[in-house]
Amino acid sequence: MAIWRGPEGIVVEVIVLDDQPVLRISQDVGGRLYLQGYCASVTELAQHGIDLAQLVEDGRAPA
């Protein structure tokens, strides 16, 4: 699945949760990921203070 990274260690991933695709928002702090929340759509990212224009796709394959 796709992963995007933003400023201040923000990580946005597409995952499947309860058979539904969602966006998982985490923050990378010192190599550890801390869950910030889930969004059902891209428009909900703004409610978490995430600007789509600042996200960059991570070219690495997820583990």
Side-chain angles (χ1 to χ4, degrees):
M1 295 273 169
I3 299 174
W4 295 272
R5 297 191 181 272
E8 299 178 18
I10 293 296
V11 179
V12 179
E13 301 174 83
V14 178
I15 66 165
V16 177
L17 185 65
D18 293 331
D19 294 327
Q20 297 294 318
V22 296
L23 298 169
R24 176 174 57 198
I25 304 164
S26 304
Q27 187 169 17
D28 186 337
V29 179
R32 291 184 160 197
L33 282 180
Y34 293 92
L35 178 65
Q36 301 295 312
Y38 297 100
C39 295
S41 69
V42 176
T43 56
E44 292 179 27
L45 289 174
Q47 295 172 354
H48 291 273
I50 297 173
D51 182 359
L52 286 176
Q54 294 181 324
L55 293 179
V56 177
E57 188 168 9
D58 188 339
R60 294 177 284 177

